[in-house]
Amino acid sequence: MYVDLGNALDAEPRLTREALERLDERVADAHDRIERGRAEAAHGYASLNLPETVDPAAVRRAVDRFDDPAAVLSVGIGGSALGAATLAEALGTDLDAYVLDNVDPARVAGLLETLPLSDTVVHVVSRSGTTAETLSNFLIVREAMADAGVDWTERTLVTTGPSGNLRNLADRHDLPVLDVPAGVPGRFSVLSTVALPVAALAGHDVEAIVDGARAEADRLAGSLFESPAYAYGATCHALERRGAGVNAMMPYAESLESFAEWFAQLWAESLGKDAVGQTPARALGATDQHSQLQLYRAGPRDKLVTLVRPRERPDVAIPETDLDGLAYLGGGSLADLLDAEFRATEASLAASNCPNVRIEVDRVDERGVGELLYGMEAACIMYGELAGVETFTQPAVEWGKRAARGLLGGGDVDADDAVPEKRRLVID
């Protein structure tokens, strides 16, 4: 992974090279804390050990019983689903990959009507085995399979914690089961048994994903000027402190669109605490040049734009044409056009003094995706260390979960206490 900070300096909000050099002393201290956490496999910090602790062979063994499925359905929520969606979309496959990570009844019913249930592998993921959305969807999928005459026990893979409903279910029906890694919050679990089974089912080289992550782990160092991941995390923190409260993640590869969604969860849930943290926005180059770029370039000076692209990509030639004004396109290629769009956006942002960072990988392949995902996780952890927040907790999320359980009568909190009467101002 390569990070270019040039356009993040001397823009508005203003961040100078000298300020980064002063911040680098704190980066060194934060790196020491992170390394201690990794050595102890402490909660959260254990995420950065996954290139060494995950077992790709165990993942392959778990999926080997499923012979050439037509589709895979990941049932989870948040990090238990976004990682799988990111890998499936980024790497591409002939296998149709779907995710149930919400409980919208129209979406669930519509998907189950179209899925080839007899040829679909269901991967259900919940550490506790009690996640309301995940278990509700799984029960519905299981019933749909049974109603269609499909033996769901022959089509289901479970990833869960050491105890709980899913673990008991897997034991009772002799389902293949993988362990959720200890000490790894869901939003940091993409490089683990939580998401890698989808890549394995699709025939991708899981070892290469892990190798890419390992290569980025080897580049973590006590200076932001020596570590791309720490350079990005420290720069985001420094710009947020100066007023860049929005971070627009804008990949220039359509296969990375789900990556931007994965990044949004990672950034928001980890860093949005104690009245600090950047708000992640999602964009796609070149599509959103025709819309969101207007705001980034001419709107409030409160944004950082992160531009992501591969250095190499497949290409498609543009045919020659005699149409007026379009001759310059003929004989070129879509890759050339997208590269020009990328460089034009970068220059446009720089010309308007909007800070932007360029992140590149060699290719959107297993190794490149492993590097990118690990790099963003390490960047997030560095940001959290510098900001002094509890990166690995999510108290606001847990409050909402308790309130929902109270409303459904499934928790130890009374519904009236969980969700007090709402203020109303209805216009009808």
Side-chain angles (χ1 to χ4, degrees), residues 261-412:
E261 186 175 358
W262 171 87
F263 173 85
Q265 186 205 12
L266 176 74
W267 222 242
E269 191 173 356
S270 300
L271 303 174
K273 289 144 192 176
D274 303 327
V276 301
Q278 283 181 320
T279 299
R282 288 170 278 174
L284 179 66
T287 301
D288 289 314
Q289 287 174 218
H290 297 269
S291 55
Q292 295 183 35
L293 184 60
Q294 176 65 39
L295 174 66
Y296 303 155
R297 193 176 194 276
R301 304 284 86 183
D302 62 349
K303 297 171 189 67
L304 161 68
V305 180
T306 302
L307 304 167
V308 181
R309 72 168 180 179
R311 289 183 167 182
E312 301 174 22
R313 65 172 87 235
D315 206 356
V316 175
I318 301 173
E320 299 283 357
T321 180
D322 58 1
L323 293 173
D324 290 343
L326 296 180
Y328 73 97
L329 293 174
S333 71
L334 291 183
D336 292 338
L337 177 58
L338 190 57
D339 180 63
E341 300 270 20
F342 177 94
R343 290 186 291 116
T345 298
E346 192 176 51
S348 173
L349 293 167
S352 64
N353 284 325
C354 176
N356 57 95
V357 172
R358 177 193 290 201
I359 296 177
E360 295 175 307
V361 292
D362 289 326
R363 289 165 294 278
V364 182
D365 59 7
E366 288 94 339
R367 184 179 179 87
V369 169
E371 290 178 2
L372 182 62
L373 295 171
Y374 187 94
M376 291 300 99
E377 291 182 347
C380 180
I381 293 171
M382 173 54 71
Y383 186 135
E385 293 291 322
L386 295 174
V389 300
E390 294 289 340
T391 307
F392 307 115
T393 63
Q394 51 283 330
V397 174
E398 296 302 326
W399 190 97
K401 290 180 181 179
R402 290 194 300 272
R405 286 197 296 269
L407 288 172
L408 293 168
D412 55 3

Side-chain angles (χ1 to χ4, degrees), residues 173-236:
H173 295 283
D174 195 27
L175 305 178
V177 60
L178 291 166
D179 297 326
V180 171
V184 178
R187 58 191 177 276
F188 288 90
S189 66
V190 61
L191 297 166
S192 78
T193 51
V194 169
L196 291 178
V198 170
L201 282 164
H204 291 299
D205 187 344
V206 175
E207 283 82 359
I209 298 172
V210 175
D211 286 344
R214 184 179 295 112
E216 206 55 42
D218 290 343
R219 300 177 75 186
L220 300 182
S223 170
L224 69 90
F225 297 105
E226 298 174 5
S227 172
Y230 287 168
Y232 182 66
T235 299
C236 291

Side-chain angles (χ1 to χ4, degrees), residues 7 22 49 52 61 83 109 112 159 167 169 290-291 325 342 366 386:
N7 283 350
R22 291 193 299 272
N49 294 338
E52 302 304 328
R61 286 194 299 271
L112 290 178
T159 297
R167 176 66 65 169
L169 185 75
H290 297 269
S291 55
F342 177 94
E366 288 94 339
L386 295 174

